[in-house]
Amino acid sequence: VLITGANRGLGLEFTRQLLARGDRVFATARDPEHALDLANLATGHSDRLTIIKLDVSDPQSIEDSWNEVHRHTDALDILINNAGISPNTPGSGGSEKLSRLGTLDMSALLNILRINSVAPIIIAQGYLDLLRNGRSPKVINITSVLGSFTQRTPAHGYGYSASKAALNMYMRIFASDVLQYGIVSVVVHPGWARTRIGGANAPLSPEESVGGLLKAIEGLTRDDAGRFLDWKGEGVTW
Ligand SMILES: NC(=O)c1ccc[n+]([C@@H]2O[C@H](COP(=O)([O-])OP(=O)(O)OC[C@H]3O[C@@H](n4cnc5c(N)ncnc54)[C@H](OP(=O)(O)O)[C@@H]3O)[C@@H](O)[C@H]2O)c1
């Protein structure tokens, strides 16, 4: 399993739970030297956890990460496109530049699209060869209900919601493109969970969110390809 943004939040929890159930994990982070929680996990699981540098916004970094993963394996069973930013992320431009009409900022809006929408499809494209060699391969894209047109929850405003809506469309097309190789790709809403993006008031713990998601991922079949699911495995309207 390869996970992006594995140094904190849901990505770190995915890594923890996947290791606990016996999986072989490539946990990526843009700054592994400061990924102390990941490093702590590695001490107990050095045989099944490899930490890899990956800044998802940088095509060269994506290629370098592929080279590094390929030194260890020629097959991936699961890719989890998890890394993302929101107005809560330091350096994102905050709600002023991403959410508020009157102060919306071109470069902040393009940056959130680059990280949340474009990076996942470029990463999925880059890792396609390894996924094609995987066992019942799956691509899991962490989206948000805030990217749904039919759920009226504009809490994060323009930049975040539009980036997840764009991710959904990229991955809807990708899912139909790769089903011929037996790859099942879905977009999943993790619920509102207590992370840097979710904030302290979120009702779900990362443990609950990821526990539910892993159960849902395990149950995926070809018929689920291209679907929008939540952390309980239930369908979300587009
Ligand atoms: N928590 C929720 O309630 C919620 C709800 C719906 C969807 N989501 C989605 O869940 C996913 C995980 O978010 P989270 O809640 O766990 O928030 P988080 O704690 O802020 O984690 C975000 C992760 O993405 C990484 N990241 C950001 N930009 C990156 C880049 N350019 N290259 C590589 N990694 C990068 C961060 O790394 P750094 O530490 O280096 O910044 C961090 O590891 C996101 O896609 C988010 O949109 C979360």
Side-chain angles (χ1 to χ4, degrees), residues 43-195:
T43 46
H45 301 280
S46 56
D47 51 333
R48 286 189 291 109
L49 174 61
T50 306
I51 300 173
I52 288 176
K53 188 175 172 66
L54 172 56
D55 179 337
V56 301
S57 68
D58 176 2
Q60 186 60 53
S61 180
I62 295 171
E63 201 179 317
D64 293 347
S65 76
W66 185 94
N67 287 329
E68 182 63 17
V69 172
H70 192 236
R71 287 194 321 113
H72 297 272
T73 183
D74 62 0
L76 267 188
D77 296 341
I78 306 179
L79 164 65
I80 304 179
N81 269 320
N82 164 76
I85 63 171
S86 83
N88 290 347
T89 309
S92 65
S95 48
E96 198 177 301
K97 292 184 176 181
L98 289 171
S99 306
R100 196 170 302 137
L101 189 62
T103 52
L104 293 175
D105 178 85
M106 174 83 86
S107 61
L109 290 169
L110 289 174
N111 187 52
I112 199 170
L113 282 177
R114 186 179 179 100
I115 293 171
N116 288 5
S117 332
V118 179
I121 186 64
I122 298 297
I123 291 168
Q125 172 181 263
Y127 278 93
L128 197 54
D129 49 356
L130 300 190
L131 287 162
R132 285 180 67 175
N133 294 335
R135 287 164 300 178
S136 307
K138 298 176 183 75
V139 177
I140 310 301
N141 304 286
I142 312 295
T143 185
S144 169
V145 76
L146 297 175
S148 162
F149 280 88
T150 49
Q151 315 258 334
R152 287 193 273 150
T153 47
H156 276 80
Y158 295 90
Y160 187 73
S161 294
S163 75
K164 293 300 190 182
L167 171 69
N168 290 355
M169 183 58 89
Y170 275 122
M171 290 308 169
R172 178 92 175 166
I173 299 169
F174 174 78
S176 67
D177 259 353
V178 299
L179 192 56
Q180 60 183 312
Y181 309 124
I183 300 170
V184 172
S185 178
V186 291
V187 294
V188 294
H189 169 59
W192 183 19
R194 290 187 293 276
T195 63

Side-chain angles (χ1 to χ4, degrees), residues 3 12-25 41 44-45 48-49 210 214:
I3 307 163
L12 180 67
E13 185 58 28
F14 267 118
T15 306
R16 195 175 278 134
Q17 292 195 23
L18 287 164
L19 288 171
R21 75 175 201 190
D23 285 73
R24 170 83 175 88
V25 181
L41 281 182
H45 301 280
R48 286 189 291 109
L49 174 61
V210 168
L214 285 176

